[in-house]
Amino acid sequence: MIKLKNDRLEVEIDNMGAQLTHVIGNESGYDYIWNGDAWKKHAPILFPAIGKSNNDEYVVDGKTYRMPQHGFARDFDWQKVNQAENRG
């Protein structure tokens, strides 16, 4: 889990799917990301496709590739490369 915070928000990002799991306002304490029990995911990255491809495939330059529904990024375990207090 990656946590980022500034003077307005605190954000948590799950490495699985690089999805936001919490965006909390520091003053209000309100979490802008839904965290109910009906769906285990929150806000997964849908890349490179949103939705379902025909036969779960796509074709580039005559070559056929497998493409699961909503792409591959949401099921990938992403790792943080760099984090710094401030970036210029």
Side-chain angles (χ1 to χ4, degrees):
M1 191 71 66
I2 299 168
K3 293 184 180 186
L4 305 172
K5 187 174 183 177
N6 65 18
D7 59 332
R8 295 184 186 149
L9 297 171
E10 183 173 334
V11 176
E12 290 185 14
I13 304 164
D14 187 347
N15 293 71
M16 181 55 69
Q19 64 180 329
L20 289 169
T21 56
H22 298 281
V23 177
I24 301 168
N26 290 342
E27 286 186 26
S28 68
Y30 184 79
D31 192 345
Y32 293 93
I33 300 292
W34 179 77
N35 282 284
D37 293 331
W39 190 49
K40 67 179 181 175
K41 296 195 179 188
H42 297 83
I45 304 297
L46 304 181
F47 177 84
I50 298 172
K52 186 169 177 61
S53 303
N54 292 336
N55 299 320
D56 292 328
E57 300 173 335
Y58 68 101
V59 179
V60 175
D61 295 331
K63 187 169 180 179
T64 301
Y65 299 90
R66 177 140 173 71
M67 176 61 66
Q69 183 174 359
H70 302 314
F72 63 85
R74 70 188 187 130
D75 297 320
F76 190 80
D77 187 21
W78 296 90
Q79 298 300 312
K80 176 174 55 176
V81 173
N82 190 353
Q83 181 175 336
E85 189 69 29
N86 294 302
R87 286 284 196 152

Coordinates of all heavy atoms in Angstrom, one line a residue:
M1 N 0.8 -1.2 0.0 CA 0.0 0.0 0.0 C 0.9 1.2 0.0 O 1.8 1.3 0.8 CB -0.9 0.0 1.2 CG -2.0 1.0 1.2 SD -3.3 0.7 0.1 CE -4.1 -0.8 0.7
I2 N 0.6 2.2 -0.9 CA 1.3 3.4 -1.0 C 0.5 4.5 -0.3 O -0.7 4.6 -0.6 CB 1.7 3.7 -2.4 CG1 2.5 2.6 -3.0 CG2 2.3 5.1 -2.5 CD1 2.7 2.7 -4.5
K3 N 1.1 5.3 0.5 CA 0.3 6.4 1.1 C 1.0 7.7 0.8 O 2.2 7.9 0.8 CB 0.3 6.3 2.6 CG -0.5 5.1 3.1 CD -0.6 5.0 4.6 CE -1.4 3.8 5.0 NZ -1.6 3.8 6.5
L4 N 0.2 8.7 0.3 CA 0.6 10.0 0.0 C -0.2 11.0 0.8 O -1.4 10.8 1.0 CB 0.5 10.3 -1.5 CG 1.2 9.4 -2.4 CD1 0.8 9.6 -3.9 CD2 2.7 9.4 -2.3
K5 N 0.4 12.1 1.2 CA -0.4 13.1 2.0 C 0.2 14.5 1.8 O 1.4 14.7 1.6 CB -0.2 12.7 3.5 CG -1.1 13.6 4.4 CD -1.1 13.1 5.9 CE -2.0 13.9 6.7 NZ -2.1 13.4 8.1
N6 N -0.8 15.4 1.7 CA -0.4 16.8 1.7 C -1.3 17.6 2.7 O -2.0 16.9 3.5 CB -0.4 17.4 0.3 CG -1.8 17.5 -0.3 OD1 -2.8 17.4 0.4 ND2 -1.9 17.6 -1.7
D7 N -1.3 18.9 2.6 CA -2.1 19.6 3.6 C -3.6 19.5 3.3 O -4.4 19.9 4.2 CB -1.7 21.1 3.6 CG -1.8 21.8 2.2 OD1 -1.8 21.1 1.2 OD2 -2.0 23.0 2.2
R8 N -4.1 18.9 2.2 CA -5.5 18.8 1.9 C -6.0 17.4 1.9 O -7.2 17.2 2.3 CB -5.8 19.5 0.6 CG -5.6 20.9 0.5 CD -5.9 21.5 -0.8 NE -5.6 22.9 -0.8 CZ -5.2 23.5 -1.9 NH1 -5.2 22.9 -3.1 NH2 -4.9 24.8 -1.9
L9 N -5.2 16.5 1.4 CA -5.7 15.1 1.2 C -4.7 14.1 1.7 O -3.5 14.3 1.7 CB -5.9 14.8 -0.3 CG -7.0 15.6 -1.0 CD1 -6.9 15.4 -2.5 CD2 -8.4 15.3 -0.5
E10 N -5.2 12.9 2.1 CA -4.4 11.7 2.3 C -4.9 10.6 1.3 O -6.1 10.4 1.2 CB -4.6 11.2 3.7 CG -3.7 10.0 4.0 CD -3.7 9.6 5.5 OE1 -4.0 10.5 6.3 OE2 -3.4 8.4 5.8
V11 N -4.0 10.0 0.6 CA -4.4 9.1 -0.5 C -3.7 7.8 -0.2 O -2.5 7.7 0.1 CB -3.9 9.7 -1.9 CG1 -4.2 8.7 -3.0 CG2 -4.6 11.0 -2.2
E12 N -4.4 6.7 -0.4 CA -3.9 5.3 -0.3 C -4.1 4.6 -1.7 O -5.1 4.7 -2.3 CB -4.5 4.5 0.8 CG -4.2 5.0 2.1 CD -4.7 4.1 3.2 OE1 -5.1 3.0 2.9 OE2 -4.7 4.6 4.4
I13 N -3.0 4.0 -2.2 CA -3.0 3.3 -3.5 C -2.6 1.9 -3.2 O -1.5 1.6 -2.7 CB -2.0 4.0 -4.4 CG1 -2.4 5.5 -4.6 CG2 -2.1 3.3 -5.8 CD1 -1.3 6.3 -5.2
D14 N -3.4 1.0 -3.7 CA -3.1 -0.5 -3.6 C -2.2 -0.8 -4.8 O -2.5 -0.5 -5.9 CB -4.4 -1.3 -3.7 CG -4.3 -2.7 -3.4 OD1 -3.1 -3.2 -3.4 OD2 -5.3 -3.4 -3.3
N15 N -1.1 -1.5 -4.5 CA -0.2 -1.9 -5.5 C -0.9 -2.8 -6.6 O -0.6 -2.8 -7.8 CB 1.0 -2.7 -5.0 CG 1.9 -1.8 -4.1 OD1 1.5 -1.4 -3.0 ND2 3.1 -1.5 -4.6
M16 N -1.8 -3.7 -6.1 CA -2.6 -4.5 -7.1 C -3.5 -3.6 -7.9 O -4.5 -3.1 -7.4 CB -3.4 -5.6 -6.4 CG -4.1 -6.5 -7.3 SD -3.1 -7.3 -8.6 CE -2.1 -8.4 -7.6
G17 N -3.2 -3.5 -9.2 CA -4.0 -2.7 -10.1 C -3.7 -1.2 -10.0 O -4.3 -0.4 -10.7
A18 N -2.8 -0.8 -9.1 CA -2.5 0.7 -8.9 C -3.8 1.5 -8.7 O -3.9 2.5 -9.2 CB -1.7 1.2 -10.1
Q19 N -4.7 0.9 -7.9 CA -6.0 1.5 -7.7 C -6.0 2.3 -6.4 O -5.5 1.9 -5.4 CB -7.1 0.5 -7.7 CG -7.0 -0.5 -6.6 CD -8.2 -1.5 -6.7 OE1 -9.3 -1.2 -7.2 NE2 -8.0 -2.7 -6.3
L20 N -6.7 3.5 -6.5 CA -6.9 4.3 -5.4 C -7.9 3.6 -4.5 O -9.0 3.1 -4.9 CB -7.6 5.6 -5.8 CG -6.6 6.6 -6.5 CD1 -7.5 7.8 -7.1 CD2 -5.6 7.2 -5.5
T21 N -7.6 3.4 -3.2 CA -8.5 2.8 -2.2 C -9.1 3.8 -1.3 O -10.1 3.6 -0.7 CB -7.8 1.7 -1.4 OG1 -6.6 2.2 -0.8 CG2 -7.4 0.6 -2.4
H22 N -8.4 4.9 -1.1 CA -8.9 6.0 -0.2 C -8.3 7.3 -0.7 O -7.2 7.5 -1.0 CB -8.4 5.8 1.3 CG -8.9 4.5 1.9 ND1 -10.1 4.4 2.4 CD2 -8.3 3.3 2.1 CE1 -10.3 3.2 2.9 NE2 -9.2 2.5 2.7
V23 N -9.2 8.3 -0.7 CA -8.9 9.7 -0.9 C -9.6 10.4 0.2 O -10.9 10.6 0.1 CB -9.3 10.2 -2.3 CG1 -9.0 11.7 -2.4 CG2 -8.6 9.5 -3.4
I24 N -8.9 10.8 1.3 CA -9.6 11.4 2.5 C -9.2 12.8 2.6 O -8.1 13.2 2.6 CB -9.1 10.6 3.7 CG1 -9.5 9.1 3.5 CG2 -9.7 11.2 5.0 CD1 -8.9 8.2 4.6
G25 N -10.3 13.6 2.8 CA -10.1 15.1 3.0 C -9.6 15.2 4.5 O -10.2 14.7 5.4
N26 N -8.5 16.0 4.6 CA -7.9 16.2 6.0 C -8.8 16.9 6.9 O -8.9 16.6 8.1 CB -6.5 16.9 5.9 CG -5.5 16.0 5.3 OD1 -5.6 14.8 5.2 ND2 -4.4 16.6 4.8
E27 N -9.5 17.9 6.4 CA -10.4 18.7 7.3 C -11.7 17.9 7.6 O -12.1 17.9 8.7 CB -10.7 20.0 6.7 CG -9.6 21.0 6.7 CD -10.0 22.4 6.2 OE1 -11.2 22.7 6.3 OE2 -9.1 23.1 5.7
S28 N -12.3 17.3 6.6 CA -13.6 16.7 6.8 C -13.5 15.3 7.3 O -14.4 14.7 7.9 CB -14.4 16.7 5.4 OG -13.7 15.8 4.5
G29 N -12.4 14.6 6.9 CA -12.3 13.2 7.3 C -13.1 12.3 6.3 O -13.2 11.1 6.5
Y30 N -13.7 12.9 5.3 CA -14.5 12.2 4.3 C -13.7 11.4 3.3 O -12.7 11.9 2.8 CB -15.4 13.2 3.6 CG -16.4 12.5 2.7 CD1 -17.6 12.0 3.1 CD2 -16.2 12.5 1.3 CE1 -18.5 11.4 2.3 CE2 -17.1 11.9 0.4 CZ -18.2 11.3 0.9 OH -19.1 10.7 0.1
D31 N -14.0 10.2 3.1 CA -13.4 9.3 2.1 C -14.2 9.4 0.8 O -15.3 9.0 0.8 CB -13.3 7.9 2.6 CG -12.4 7.0 1.8 OD1 -12.0 7.4 0.7 OD2 -12.0 5.9 2.3
Y32 N -13.6 9.9 -0.2 CA -14.2 10.1 -1.5 C -14.3 8.8 -2.4 O -14.9 8.8 -3.4 CB -13.5 11.2 -2.3 CG -13.7 12.6 -1.6 CD1 -12.7 13.0 -0.7 CD2 -14.8 13.3 -1.9 CE1 -12.9 14.3 -0.1 CE2 -15.0 14.6 -1.2 CZ -14.0 15.0 -0.4 OH -14.1 16.2 0.3
I33 N -13.6 7.8 -1.9 CA -13.6 6.5 -2.7 C -14.6 5.5 -1.9 O -14.5 5.3 -0.7 CB -12.2 5.9 -2.8 CG1 -11.3 6.8 -3.5 CG2 -12.3 4.5 -3.4 CD1 -11.5 7.0 -5.0
W34 N -15.5 4.9 -2.7 CA -16.5 4.0 -2.1 C -15.7 2.8 -1.6 O -14.9 2.2 -2.3 CB -17.5 3.6 -3.2 CG -18.5 2.7 -2.7 CD1 -19.6 2.9 -1.9 CD2 -18.6 1.3 -3.0 NE1 -20.3 1.8 -1.7 CE2 -19.7 0.8 -2.3 CE3 -17.8 0.4 -3.7 CZ2 -20.1 -0.6 -2.4 CZ3 -18.1 -0.9 -3.7 CH2 -19.3 -1.4 -3.1
N35 N -16.1 2.3 -0.4 CA -15.5 1.1 0.2 C -16.5 0.1 0.7 O -16.4 -0.4 1.8 CB -14.5 1.6 1.3 CG -13.2 2.1 0.8 OD1 -12.4 1.4 0.4 ND2 -13.1 3.4 0.7
G36 N -17.5 -0.1 -0.1 CA -18.6 -1.0 0.3 C -18.2 -2.5 0.1 O -17.1 -2.8 -0.4
D37 N -19.1 -3.4 0.6 CA -18.8 -4.8 0.5 C -19.3 -5.5 -0.8 O -18.9 -6.6 -1.1 CB -19.5 -5.6 1.6 CG -18.9 -5.2 3.0 OD1 -17.7 -4.9 3.0 OD2 -19.7 -5.2 4.0
A38 N -20.0 -4.7 -1.6 CA -20.6 -5.3 -2.9 C -19.6 -5.6 -4.0 O -19.8 -6.4 -4.8 CB -21.7 -4.4 -3.4
W39 N -18.5 -4.9 -3.9 CA -17.5 -5.0 -5.0 C -16.1 -4.9 -4.3 O -15.9 -3.9 -3.6 CB -17.7 -3.9 -6.0 CG -16.9 -4.0 -7.3 CD1 -16.7 -5.1 -8.0 CD2 -16.1 -3.0 -7.9 NE1 -15.9 -4.9 -9.1 CE2 -15.5 -3.6 -9.1 CE3 -15.9 -1.7 -7.6 CZ2 -14.7 -2.8 -9.9 CZ3 -15.1 -1.0 -8.5 CH2 -14.5 -1.5 -9.6
K40 N -15.2 -5.8 -4.5 CA -14.0 -5.9 -3.8 C -13.0 -4.8 -4.4 O -12.0 -4.5 -3.7 CB -13.3 -7.2 -3.8 CG -12.9 -7.7 -5.2 CD -12.3 -9.1 -5.1 CE -11.8 -9.6 -6.5 NZ -11.1 -10.8 -6.5
K41 N -13.2 -4.4 -5.6 CA -12.2 -3.4 -6.1 C -12.7 -2.0 -5.9 O -13.9 -1.8 -5.5 CB -12.0 -3.6 -7.6 CG -11.4 -5.0 -7.9 CD -10.9 -5.2 -9.3 CE -10.2 -6.5 -9.4 NZ -9.5 -6.7 -10.6
H42 N -11.9 -1.0 -6.1 CA -12.2 0.4 -5.8 C -12.2 1.2 -7.0 O -13.2 1.7 -7.5 CB -11.2 1.0 -4.8 CG -11.3 0.3 -3.5 ND1 -10.6 -0.9 -3.2 CD2 -12.0 0.5 -2.3 CE1 -10.9 -1.3 -2.0 NE2 -11.7 -0.4 -1.4
A43 N -11.0 1.4 -7.6 CA -10.8 2.3 -8.8 C -9.7 1.7 -9.6 O -8.6 2.4 -9.7 CB -10.6 3.7 -8.4
P44 N -9.8 0.5 -10.1 CA -8.6 -0.1 -10.8 C -8.3 0.7 -12.1 O -9.2 1.3 -12.7 CB -9.1 -1.5 -11.1 CG -10.6 -1.4 -11.1 CD -10.9 -0.3 -10.2
I45 N -7.0 0.6 -12.5 CA -6.6 1.2 -13.7 C -7.1 0.2 -14.9 O -6.7 -0.9 -14.9 CB -5.0 1.3 -13.8 CG1 -4.5 2.1 -12.6 CG2 -4.6 1.9 -15.1 CD1 -5.0 3.6 -12.6
L46 N -7.9 0.7 -15.8 CA -8.4 0.0 -16.9 C -7.6 0.3 -18.1 O -7.8 1.3 -18.8 CB -9.9 0.2 -17.1 CG -10.8 0.0 -15.9 CD1 -12.2 0.3 -16.2 CD2 -10.6 -1.4 -15.3
F47 N -6.5 -0.4 -18.4 CA -5.6 -0.1 -19.5 C -5.1 -1.4 -20.1 O -4.8 -2.4 -19.4 CB -4.4 0.7 -18.9 CG -3.3 1.0 -19.9 CD1 -3.5 2.1 -20.7 CD2 -2.2 0.1 -20.1 CE1 -2.5 2.4 -21.7 CE2 -1.3 0.4 -21.0 CZ -1.4 1.5 -21.8
P48 N -5.0 -1.5 -21.4 CA -5.2 -0.4 -22.4 C -6.6 -0.4 -23.0 O -6.8 0.3 -24.0 CB -4.1 -0.8 -23.4 CG -4.1 -2.3 -23.4 CD -4.3 -2.7 -21.9
A49 N -7.5 -1.1 -22.4 CA -8.8 -1.1 -22.9 C -9.9 -1.1 -21.8 O -9.6 -1.7 -20.7 CB -9.0 -2.4 -23.8
I50 N -11.0 -0.4 -22.0 CA -12.1 -0.4 -21.1 C -13.2 -1.2 -21.8 O -13.6 -1.0 -22.9 CB -12.6 1.0 -20.8 CG1 -11.5 1.8 -20.2 CG2 -13.8 1.0 -20.0 CD1 -11.8 3.3 -20.0
G51 N -13.7 -2.2 -21.1 CA -14.7 -3.1 -21.6 C -14.2 -4.4 -22.1 O -13.1 -4.8 -21.7
K52 N -14.9 -5.1 -22.9 CA -14.6 -6.4 -23.4 C -14.3 -6.4 -24.9 O -15.0 -5.8 -25.7 CB -15.7 -7.4 -23.1 CG -15.4 -8.8 -23.4 CD -16.5 -9.7 -22.8 CE -16.4 -11.1 -23.1 NZ -15.2 -11.7 -22.6
S53 N -13.2 -7.0 -25.3 CA -12.8 -7.1 -26.7 C -13.5 -8.3 -27.3 O -13.9 -9.3 -26.6 CB -11.3 -7.4 -26.9 OG -10.6 -6.3 -26.3
N54 N -13.8 -8.3 -28.6 CA -14.4 -9.4 -29.3 C -13.5 -10.7 -29.1 O -12.3 -10.6 -29.4 CB -14.5 -9.2 -30.8 CG -15.6 -8.1 -31.1 OD1 -16.4 -7.9 -30.3 ND2 -15.4 -7.5 -32.2
N55 N -14.1 -11.7 -28.5 CA -13.4 -13.0 -28.3 C -12.1 -12.8 -27.3 O -11.2 -13.6 -27.4 CB -12.9 -13.6 -29.6 CG -14.1 -14.0 -30.5 OD1 -15.1 -14.4 -30.0 ND2 -13.9 -13.8 -31.7
D56 N -12.1 -11.7 -26.5 CA -11.0 -11.4 -25.6 C -9.7 -11.3 -26.4 O -8.6 -11.7 -25.9 CB -10.9 -12.5 -24.5 CG -12.1 -12.4 -23.6 OD1 -12.6 -11.3 -23.4 OD2 -12.4 -13.4 -23.0
E57 N -9.7 -10.8 -27.6 CA -8.6 -10.6 -28.4 C -8.6 -9.3 -29.1 O -9.6 -8.6 -29.2 CB -8.5 -11.7 -29.6 CG -8.5 -13.1 -29.1 CD -8.7 -14.1 -30.2 OE1 -9.3 -13.8 -31.3 OE2 -8.2 -15.2 -30.0
Y58 N -7.4 -8.9 -29.6 CA -7.3 -7.7 -30.5 C -6.2 -8.0 -31.5 O -5.4 -8.9 -31.3 CB -7.0 -6.4 -29.7 CG -5.6 -6.4 -29.1 CD1 -4.6 -5.6 -29.7 CD2 -5.3 -7.0 -27.9 CE1 -3.3 -5.6 -29.1 CE2 -4.0 -7.0 -27.3 CZ -3.0 -6.3 -27.9 OH -1.8 -6.2 -27.4
V59 N -6.2 -7.3 -32.6 CA -5.3 -7.6 -33.7 C -4.5 -6.3 -34.1 O -5.1 -5.2 -34.2 CB -6.1 -8.0 -35.0 CG1 -5.2 -8.2 -36.2 CG2 -6.9 -9.2 -34.7
V60 N -3.2 -6.4 -34.1 CA -2.3 -5.3 -34.5 C -1.4 -5.9 -35.6 O -0.7 -6.9 -35.4 CB -1.5 -4.8 -33.3 CG1 -0.5 -3.8 -33.8 CG2 -2.4 -4.2 -32.2
D61 N -1.4 -5.2 -36.7 CA -0.5 -5.5 -37.9 C -0.7 -7.0 -38.2 O 0.3 -7.7 -38.5 CB 0.9 -5.3 -37.6 CG 1.2 -3.8 -37.4 OD1 0.5 -3.0 -38.1 OD2 2.2 -3.4 -36.7
G62 N -2.0 -7.5 -38.2 CA -2.3 -8.8 -38.6 C -2.0 -9.9 -37.6 O -2.3 -11.1 -37.8
K63 N -1.4 -9.5 -36.4 CA -1.1 -10.5 -35.4 C -2.2 -10.4 -34.3 O -2.5 -9.3 -33.8 CB 0.3 -10.3 -34.8 CG 0.7 -11.3 -33.8 CD 2.1 -11.3 -33.5 CE 2.5 -12.4 -32.5 NZ 3.8 -12.4 -32.1
T64 N -2.7 -11.5 -33.8 CA -3.7 -11.6 -32.8 C -3.1 -11.7 -31.4 O -2.2 -12.5 -31.2 CB -4.7 -12.7 -33.0 OG1 -5.3 -12.6 -34.3 CG2 -5.8 -12.8 -32.0
Y65 N -3.6 -10.9 -30.4 CA -3.1 -10.9 -29.1 C -4.3 -11.1 -28.1 O -5.4 -10.7 -28.4 CB -2.4 -9.6 -28.7 CG -1.3 -9.3 -29.5 CD1 -1.4 -8.6 -30.7 CD2 0.0 -9.7 -29.1 CE1 -0.3 -8.2 -31.5 CE2 1.1 -9.4 -29.9 CZ 1.0 -8.7 -31.1 OH 2.1 -8.3 -31.8
R66 N -4.1 -11.8 -27.0 CA -5.1 -12.0 -26.0 C -5.3 -10.7 -25.2 O -4.3 -10.1 -24.8 CB -4.7 -13.1 -25.1 CG -5.7 -13.4 -24.0 CD -5.9 -14.9 -23.8 NE -6.7 -15.1 -22.6 CZ -8.0 -14.8 -22.5 NH1 -8.6 -14.3 -23.5 NH2 -8.7 -15.1 -21.4
M67 N -6.5 -10.3 -24.9 CA -6.8 -9.1 -24.1 C -8.0 -9.4 -23.2 O -9.1 -9.5 -23.6 CB -7.1 -7.9 -25.0 CG -7.5 -6.7 -24.2 SD -6.2 -6.0 -23.2 CE -5.0 -5.6 -24.4
P68 N -7.7 -9.6 -21.9 CA -8.8 -9.8 -21.0 C -9.7 -8.6 -20.9 O -9.3 -7.5 -21.2 CB -8.1 -10.1 -19.7 CG -6.8 -9.6 -19.8 CD -6.4 -9.5 -21.2
Q69 N -10.9 -8.8 -20.3 CA -11.8 -7.6 -20.1 C -11.1 -6.6 -19.3 O -10.5 -6.8 -18.3 CB -13.1 -8.1 -19.4 CG -14.1 -7.0 -19.2 CD -15.4 -7.5 -18.7 OE1 -15.6 -8.7 -18.4 NE2 -16.3 -6.6 -18.5
H70 N -11.2 -5.3 -19.7 CA -10.7 -4.1 -19.1 C -9.1 -4.1 -19.1 O -8.5 -3.4 -18.3 CB -11.2 -4.0 -17.6 CG -12.6 -3.9 -17.5 ND1 -13.4 -3.1 -18.3 CD2 -13.5 -4.5 -16.6 CE1 -14.7 -3.2 -17.9 NE2 -14.8 -4.0 -17.0
G71 N -8.5 -4.9 -19.9 CA -7.0 -4.9 -20.1 C -6.3 -5.6 -19.0 O -6.9 -6.4 -18.2
F72 N -5.0 -5.4 -18.9 CA -4.2 -6.2 -18.0 C -3.8 -5.4 -16.7 O -3.4 -6.0 -15.7 CB -2.9 -6.7 -18.7 CG -2.0 -5.6 -19.2 CD1 -1.1 -5.0 -18.3 CD2 -2.1 -5.1 -20.5 CE1 -0.3 -4.0 -18.8 CE2 -1.3 -4.1 -20.9 CZ -0.4 -3.5 -20.1
A73 N -3.8 -4.1 -16.8 CA -3.2 -3.3 -15.7 C -3.9 -3.5 -14.3 O -3.2 -3.5 -13.3 CB -3.2 -1.8 -16.1
R74 N -5.2 -3.8 -14.3 CA -5.9 -3.9 -13.1 C -5.5 -5.2 -12.3 O -5.8 -5.3 -11.1 CB -7.4 -3.9 -13.3 CG -7.9 -5.1 -14.0 CD -9.3 -5.0 -14.4 NE -9.8 -6.3 -15.0 CZ -10.9 -6.9 -14.6 NH1 -11.7 -6.4 -13.7 NH2 -11.2 -8.0 -15.1
D75 N -4.9 -6.2 -13.0 CA -4.5 -7.4 -12.4 C -3.0 -7.6 -12.2 O -2.5 -8.6 -11.9 CB -5.1 -8.6 -13.2 CG -6.6 -8.6 -13.2 OD1 -7.2 -8.3 -12.2 OD2 -7.2 -8.9 -14.3
F76 N -2.3 -6.5 -12.4 CA -0.9 -6.5 -12.3 C -0.4 -5.9 -10.9 O -1.0 -4.9 -10.4 CB -0.3 -5.6 -13.4 CG 1.2 -5.7 -13.6 CD1 1.8 -6.8 -14.2 CD2 2.0 -4.7 -13.1 CE1 3.1 -6.9 -14.4 CE2 3.4 -4.8 -13.2 CZ 4.0 -5.9 -13.8
D77 N 0.6 -6.5 -10.3 CA 1.1 -6.0 -9.0 C 2.1 -4.9 -9.3 O 3.3 -5.2 -9.5 CB 1.7 -7.2 -8.2 CG 2.0 -6.8 -6.8 OD1 1.5 -5.7 -6.3 OD2 2.8 -7.5 -6.2
W78 N 1.7 -3.7 -9.2 CA 2.6 -2.6 -9.5 C 3.5 -2.2 -8.3 O 3.1 -2.4 -7.2 CB 1.8 -1.3 -9.9 CG 1.0 -1.5 -11.1 CD1 -0.3 -2.0 -11.2 CD2 1.4 -1.3 -12.5 NE1 -0.7 -2.1 -12.5 CE2 0.3 -1.6 -13.3 CE3 2.6 -0.8 -13.0 CZ2 0.4 -1.5 -14.7 CZ3 2.6 -0.7 -14.4 CH2 1.6 -1.0 -15.2
Q79 N 4.7 -1.7 -8.6 CA 5.6 -1.4 -7.6 C 6.0 0.1 -7.7 O 6.1 0.6 -8.8 CB 6.9 -2.2 -7.6 CG 6.6 -3.7 -7.4 CD 6.0 -4.0 -6.1 OE1 6.4 -3.6 -5.1 NE2 4.9 -4.8 -6.1
K80 N 6.1 0.7 -6.5 CA 6.5 2.1 -6.5 C 8.0 2.3 -7.0 O 8.8 1.5 -6.5 CB 6.3 2.7 -5.1 CG 6.8 4.1 -4.9 CD 6.5 4.6 -3.5 CE 7.1 3.7 -2.4 NZ 6.8 4.2 -1.1
V81 N 8.2 3.2 -7.9 CA 9.6 3.4 -8.4 C 10.3 4.5 -7.5 O 11.4 4.4 -7.2 CB 9.5 3.8 -9.8 CG1 10.9 4.2 -10.3 CG2 8.9 2.7 -10.7
N82 N 9.5 5.5 -7.2 CA 10.1 6.7 -6.5 C 9.0 7.4 -5.7 O 7.9 7.5 -6.2 CB 10.8 7.6 -7.5 CG 11.7 8.6 -6.8 OD1 11.7 8.8 -5.6 ND2 12.4 9.4 -7.6
Q83 N 9.4 7.9 -4.6 CA 8.4 8.8 -3.8 C 9.3 9.8 -3.1 O 10.3 9.5 -2.5 CB 7.6 7.9 -2.8 CG 6.7 8.8 -2.0 CD 5.8 7.9 -1.1 OE1 5.6 6.7 -1.4 NE2 5.3 8.5 -0.1
A84 N 8.9 11.0 -3.2 CA 9.6 12.1 -2.5 C 8.6 13.1 -1.9 O 7.5 13.2 -2.3 CB 10.5 12.9 -3.5
E85 N 9.0 13.8 -0.8 CA 8.2 14.7 -0.2 C 7.7 15.8 -1.1 O 6.6 16.2 -1.1 CB 8.9 15.3 1.0 CG 8.1 16.2 2.0 CD 7.1 15.4 2.7 OE1 7.3 14.2 3.0 OE2 6.0 15.9 3.1
N86 N 8.6 16.3 -1.9 CA 8.3 17.4 -2.8 C 9.0 17.1 -4.2 O 10.1 16.6 -4.2 CB 8.8 18.8 -2.3 CG 8.1 19.2 -1.1 OD1 6.9 19.4 -1.1 ND2 8.8 19.4 0.0
R87 N 8.4 17.5 -5.2 CA 8.9 17.3 -6.6 C 9.0 18.7 -7.2 O 8.0 19.4 -7.2 CB 8.1 16.4 -7.4 CG 8.2 15.0 -7.1 CD 9.5 14.5 -7.6 NE 9.5 13.0 -7.5 CZ 10.2 12.3 -8.4 NH1 10.9 12.8 -9.3 NH2 10.1 11.0 -8.3
G88 N 10.0 19.0 -7.9 CA 10.1 20.3 -8.6 C 10.2 20.1 -10.1 O 10.2 19.1 -10.6

